[in-house]
Amino acid sequence: MAAEHEYSFSTIGGDYTRAVGGFVVCLLPFLMGLRNSGAFVLLAALAALFAIFLIRTILRHVTVITVTDEWIRVKVIYEKFIPWDRLTELTLSYFTTWRGGGKGWMQLRLRGAGKTVRIESSLAGFEDIALRAKEAAYVNHLVLSPTTVSNLKTFGFSSQEVEMST
């Protein structure tokens, strides 16, 4: 049975707000007549960064991830398809914006069949996909990094379950 997962607006709405807000704030001085060349270059560069962030947010919002017992498919503008039996690498990384380590997100990176797929933890069903990927890694006898093993344990997998995969 196939399960479809998408990034909901409620989880990425803040990214839309930050991207549009930053873009507008950077362009506002130009609309008000500011022509200082130093400020122009800096604000134009920042506006470009916010525009890129907005495009990435839109692409994440339209992404559909389908998972079955046999494969995973990520469809954005084009489609990436990895059969679980051809999975060659699984990496689960944790990123934080706080020194203490809180308020962060995870990214699951899967590689196989000549394709690489990245999935962020704001996706509904992220833990289910991580579990299925862990099972495929075990079946394919993949060696997982200590960081990936540690991050998998945060999902409540027992040490034995995770380390059986390494």
Side-chain angles (χ1 to χ4, degrees):
M1 184 165 101
E4 285 194 352
H5 305 277
E6 298 176 346
Y7 293 95
S8 67
F9 185 79
S10 63
T11 60
I12 61 173
D15 289 346
Y16 276 117
T17 302
R18 285 182 282 279
V20 171
F23 186 74
V24 168
V25 166
C26 288
L27 291 182
L28 198 56
F30 300 118
L31 298 175
M32 299 176 98
L34 176 69
R35 299 293 181 234
N36 182 335
S37 64
F40 176 82
V41 172
L42 177 64
L43 290 174
L46 287 173
L49 288 174
F50 280 111
I52 291 168
F53 183 57
L54 177 61
I55 291 167
R56 288 193 64 221
T57 302
I58 292 168
L59 290 176
R60 233 181 341 141
H61 194 192
V62 300
T63 299
V64 177
I65 299 170
T66 308
V67 179
T68 70
D69 289 336
E70 291 81 35
W71 47 261
I72 183 169
R73 180 183 67 205
V74 177
K75 187 174 182 183
V76 186
I77 295 172
Y78 53 90
E79 185 175 289
K80 292 184 180 181
F81 177 84
I82 301 175
W84 290 120
D85 62 354
R86 296 191 54 198
L87 184 70
T88 57
E89 182 182 330
L90 179 155
T91 306
L92 183 60
S93 303
Y94 178 73
F95 301 94
T96 182
T97 56
W98 293 86
R99 183 176 287 203
K103 296 202 176 192
W105 71 95
M106 292 188 138
Q107 183 184 70
L108 179 66
R109 187 177 64 156
L110 306 172
R111 184 174 288 168
K115 306 278 194 261
T116 300
V117 168
R118 288 177 181 82
I119 303 168
E120 292 183 14
S121 59
S122 58
L123 178 77
F126 179 79
E127 290 182 21
D128 297 333
I129 296 170
L131 172 63
R132 182 62 191 98
K134 179 195 77 73
E135 291 169 354
Y138 173 72
V139 170
N140 295 348
H141 306 289
L142 301 183
V143 176
L144 303 179
S145 73
T147 302
T148 295
V149 169
S150 175
N151 289 333
L152 283 168
K153 288 179 185 176
T154 64
F155 288 130
F157 301 133
S158 69
S159 295
Q160 184 181 11
E161 287 177 307
V162 174
E163 292 176 8
M164 283 175 43
S165 299
T166 60

